[in-house]
Amino acid sequence: MQFETLLIETPAKGVALIRLNRPRQYNALNSTLLVELGDALNHFETDDAVGAVIITGSDKAFAAGADIAEMVGISGQQMLEMVEASTGWRALSTFTKPTVCAVSGMALGGGFELALQCDILLATKGAKFALPEVNLGVIPGAGGTQRVARIIGKSLAMEMIMNGRALFAEEAHQRGIVSRVIEPTEIEAEAVQLASELASRAPLAVRAGKACVNKAMSSTLEEGLLFERNAFIPLFDTEDAKQMMTAFLNKSN
Ligand code: CO8
């Protein structure tokens, strides 16, 4: 696959890596990138050779947000049309396979929102997360207000969204935004190792687990428990469950 704004790599069996590649603009998310991201994810969704996807940027920046050059002076109606044409957001939110986001440097605005839509977020020491849209007279528009508030709580979310307060990797880790803080030289290898493990696991169980955790972020406990029950039961009819439990009892796993 050839793209103008993305590089696609296969760093390990079952793993596809999407590298945001607009180095001169700190990987700012322009409309081309957001369409190409949708095309790449839609391809990987149906590619049986891919079990997990890594999304990453460069050493300096994951992404500096939406491309301000495309937003300056546009109307609300034009922004709505741009959002609807940006298929990458929808493709990521409906992607059923596991996604690992490896953030080096800065993840700002839409770049942070993109990272927040991935399943597992890894960051380098020194990585910076912020929602600075207020400095441009707007607010986050790709889920930032909702996802950040649910993860870090109201007061700090208010500081980030109303006052542009940044979180560095350690604080982002303490507040549950990232699951691991890693040396810059090691983050990519660790992301590949993690994605390889995910890709090697029973795919239907991994997808069901992902769907359930995502449901937890957007439902009441009762709705989530029902969703979990409905995801849990059918897994007993899968070959993986039968074989893996038998292998456990036979001590051959
Ligand atoms: N958009 C466009 N260009 C950018 C962006 C951006 N977000 N960020 C950096 N650039 C460009 C600069 O214009 C500059 O270009 P040039 O060399 O042609 O002048 C180049 O990248 C280098 O930038 P700087 O000279 O500013 O470099 P610094 O090292 O001094 O600063 C920063 C780097 C900190 C990244 C700084 O550029 C900055 O603050 N960028 C803006 C960050 C920001 O405000 N992000 C939020 C954008 S709004 C948003 O994301 C809303 C999301 C809504 C999603 C909606 C759903 C579709």
Side-chain angles (χ1 to χ4, degrees), residues 22-26 28-29 34 64-71 79 82-83 86 89 106 108-111 113 128 131-133 135-136 138-142:
R22 298 188 72 219
R24 265 178 287 164
Q25 295 85 9
Y26 286 80
L29 310 171
L34 288 168
D67 192 322
I68 299 167
E70 283 187 347
M71 298 192 301
M79 189 62 204
M82 201 190 286
V83 170
S86 299
W89 298 112
M106 56 189 94
L108 307 180
E113 293 176 294
K128 178 182 173 185
L131 294 167
E133 285 87 342
N135 298 330
L136 301 170
V138 293
I139 61 169

Side-chain angles (χ1 to χ4, degrees), residues 102 104 122 124 181-193:
S104 298
L122 312 181
T124 55
V181 179
I182 302 164
E183 291 294 338
T185 49
E186 288 164 19
I187 188 165
E188 205 155 305
E190 199 149 328
V192 171
Q193 170 69 27

Side-chain angles (χ1 to χ4, degrees), residues 6 9 24 28 38 49 51 53 57 69 72 82 91 105 164 186 191 196 204 219 228 243:
L6 306 175
E9 298 163 31
R24 265 178 287 164
V53 169
V72 61
M82 201 190 286
E186 288 164 19
S196 298
L204 296 176
S219 66
E228 181 193 77
Q243 283 176 12

Side-chain angles (χ1 to χ4, degrees), residues 135-176:
N135 298 330
L136 301 170
V138 293
I139 61 169
T145 62
Q146 302 305 296
R147 291 196 174 90
V148 162
R150 279 176 165 79
I151 299 169
I152 67 177
K154 177 178 164 183
S155 183
L156 186 52
M158 289 289 191
E159 275 204 61
M160 292 191 78
I161 288 151
M162 297 196 301
N163 209 23
R165 150 98 132 90
L167 295 185
F168 288 89
E170 281 303 341
E171 196 174 6
H173 182 233
Q174 285 160 14
R175 303 300 295 238

